[in-house]
Structure formats: C-alpha cells, structure tokens
Amino acid sequence: AQSVTQLDSQVPVFEEAPVELRCNYSSSVSVYLFWYVQYPNQGLQLLLKYLSGSTLVKGINGFEAEFNKSQTSFHLRKPSVHISDTAEYFCAVSESWANNLFFGTGTRLTVIP
Amino acid sequence: NAGVTQTPKFRILKIGQSMTLQCTQDMNHNYMYWYRQDPGMGLKLIYYSVGAGITDKGEVPNGYNVSRSTTEDFPLRLELAAPSQTSVYFCASSSIGVQQLNSGNTIYFGEGSWLTVV
C-alpha cells in the first residue's frame, strides 16, 4: 500500500512571505497526486491535482505544486501567503488503478500577521 | 449547493452503544466513501461504494458496516462502539472512481462528524 509523508506537522509563516509544504510518497508506479485544504470545522476542499502531463500544476487561491517522479515528491508552494490561508493541508496519493486515496498526516499552516 | 451532507456533526457514545452516521449527496455521484481521521493522522478509508447495492471494504473496515440502497445515501453503522472508534468521520463522493479521474472530476467531502466513545 501507498504511504504519504508530510514531514512538517506545523509551518508558521509571516503574511506575504512564500511557503512550501512538503509531500513525499512511497510508490514508484503510476500515481495520481492531490492537495486538499481543510479550514476549521469544514470538510476537505481540493486545491489541485496531478493526473498526467505537465509536472507543474496550478490550483486555486494561488497555490501550485510540482510533481517530481525521481524524488517521489509533490511539494505545494505559494509565493505570497495571506491570513486566510491559515488551515490544515493534506497531500493525498492514489495508484492509478485503485479506488482509494492515501492521505498524509497533514500540515498546519499558520500565517502570522 | 448542498453537496455532501453528514449528520450528526457531533456525538458522544458510551462503550457498546450503536449508532448510524448518515451521509447523503445530491450530485448523483456513483462513488461514495467513508473515511476516518484520527488525531495527528491522515484519513483512512473505511468502506466505499461504486453504486447502489455495491459496497466494498477499505483499509480499516473492522467494527463498521455500510449499506447503499440508493444513489444518494451511504450510511455508516457502528454496532458496538469502542474507544478506538473515537475519531472524525468524513463521507465523500465522486462521479467516477479515483482511477478514472480527469481534470474535470474530483472527490467531494462532507464537513465531518466528530464521534467520541467513552
């Protein structure tokens, strides 16, 4: 089974600073990759996904992520964060033939005014 | 824009009690899922369904049961609640399976149900 590692459980960053949230996965076979955001007391909302094609994926709210097959990584980036970006961010992976998403443990992004 | 609706949002159960978490979606999605999220952990799949009348086990099915009598509803049943089932439960749905996702499809999640077993 897949495993997804989000090394940073908490990331504090000042407003308007850049941020990178790291995600690594275990499988070297064909995968689909996702980033979800969870605001307090809400469900998960899709930020972006990689299915195939260009390795640089742009999502909502100014976020982007880059798929690196050789490093089995899918790091999430934003060049300038806002207070409203404070939330929990989950990386998820699916093997292309499976009906399951494997989730990482999440990274709590806190934007400091 | 109802999307995926879960009830109840919060519940406290005593050990050995039973309950049902309700989930309904209004997007006519064939695929529905139940995940649990333990503190400091990622989501783990409990059960999923690919259509009415069809269900299958996920990673952590023990202690749970599901049914899918209609396209809209996918209830999760806890028969004998145990402290290990204290968790946040998320229902989700998608129009197609994860393996068939393309740029126009995604999995939609409910807001979660916080369950504590004491």
Side-chain angles (χ1 to χ4, degrees):
Chain A
Q2 278 283 347
S3 69
V4 182
T5 303
Q6 292 182 247
L7 287 171
D8 305 306
S9 60
Q10 296 188 58
V11 173
V13 63
F14 286 103
E15 192 174 13
E16 298 183 3
V19 70
E20 178 180 83
L21 306 182
R22 296 180 291 169
C23 173
N24 289 87
Y25 61 95
S26 61
S27 176
S28 60
V29 298
S30 180
V31 293
Y32 298 146
L33 298 155
F34 307 81
W35 275 99
Y36 283 86
V37 60
Q38 184 180 27
Y39 297 105
N41 298 318
Q42 294 187 26
L44 279 73
Q45 179 183 359
L46 181 69
L47 271 180
L48 49 80
K49 60 187 175 187
Y50 170 81
L51 303 179
S52 64
S54 173
T55 57
L56 183 62
V57 180
K58 294 190 181 298
I60 62 171
N61 300 341
F63 284 93
E64 63 180 32
E66 185 155 19
F67 169 55
N68 188 319
K69 187 174 182 179
S70 63
Q71 297 185 4
T72 60
S73 69
F74 191 55
H75 301 331
L76 181 71
R77 302 185 184 99
K78 186 169 182 177
S80 175
V81 295
H82 301 148
I83 296 291
S84 59
D85 293 324
T86 294
E88 189 91 19
Y89 291 81
F90 291 94
C91 180
V93 175
S94 170
E95 288 152 345
S96 57
W97 60 86
N99 264 322
N100 190 11
L101 280 178
F102 293 91
F103 285 84
T105 53
T107 298
R108 162 67 63 176
L109 173 64
T110 302
V111 180
I112 304 164
Chain B
N1 282 353
V4 180
T5 303
Q6 296 178 229
T7 57
K9 190 153 188 175
F10 300 96
R11 182 73 187 268
I12 298 175
L13 276 181
K14 293 183 179 179
I15 295 171
Q17 284 186 319
S18 60
M19 75 159 297
T20 300
L21 296 175
Q22 302 290 346
C23 176
T24 187
Q25 51 91 9
D26 61 357
M27 297 172 281
N28 202 33
H29 285 170
N30 284 326
Y31 290 75
M32 295 188 75
Y33 314 82
W34 273 108
Y35 286 88
R36 61 178 284 173
Q37 181 183 20
D38 297 327
M41 305 291 287
L43 283 73
K44 293 189 181 298
L45 184 65
I46 305 171
Y47 271 95
Y48 68 97
S49 169
V50 302
I54 307 170
T55 62
D56 208 347
K57 295 178 180 179
E59 293 177 80
V60 289
N62 292 341
Y64 306 94
N65 281 299
V66 293
S67 59
R68 186 90 182 274
S69 56
T70 67
T71 299
E72 294 78 19
D73 301 308
F74 191 42
L76 178 72
R77 179 86 177 159
L78 285 72
E79 291 294 349
L80 291 170
S84 60
Q85 293 177 303
T86 293
S87 190
V88 183
Y89 292 83
F90 288 96
C91 181
S93 74
S94 61
S95 57
I96 55 178
V98 172
Q99 73 276 27
Q100 297 166 304
L101 286 177
N102 56 41
S103 60
N105 292 279
T106 189
I107 295 178
Y108 295 86
F109 285 83
E111 295 186 349
S113 297
W114 276 253
L115 176 66
T116 302
V117 182
V118 297

